[in-house]
Amino acid sequence: MNANTGFVDMSGRPLDVLEASLNSVVTVQLKGGEEYTGTLTGYDQHMNLVIEDEDTTIIRGDNVVSINP
């Protein structure tokens, strides 16, 4: 996230974008059309995601269509 503008630089590699979005609210769209919105609290090299809201949700990376910070 750019400290001056508050925006995440989307021009980097996917894992760089995830790193910049860590501890920010994101919306994740899955292959089946489901969407999850919450705080991105973790990820790994396979783009498996940990999203926290009222509950903690772990999303397998190969189900992710898009992540919007």
Side-chain angles (χ1 to χ4, degrees):
M1 183 174 298
N2 185 308
N4 296 326
T5 64
F7 292 104
V8 174
D9 180 9
M10 298 298 285
S11 63
R13 297 175 301 172
L15 293 178
D16 293 337
V17 174
L18 285 177
E19 182 65 29
S21 300
L22 204 55
N23 297 313
S24 298
V25 175
V26 297
T27 299
V28 179
Q29 184 175 6
L30 304 182
K31 288 181 181 177
E34 279 186 276
E35 283 190 352
Y36 289 88
T37 299
T39 302
L40 177 66
T41 58
Y43 66 92
D44 65 12
Q45 70 273 14
H46 303 289
M47 294 183 67
N48 297 317
L49 308 174
V50 180
I51 306 293
E52 293 192 28
D53 194 8
E54 293 177 12
D55 296 317
T56 299
T57 303
I58 299 172
I59 300 171
R60 186 173 166 104
D62 60 354
N63 291 317
V64 174
V65 173
S66 68
I67 304 168
N68 298 308

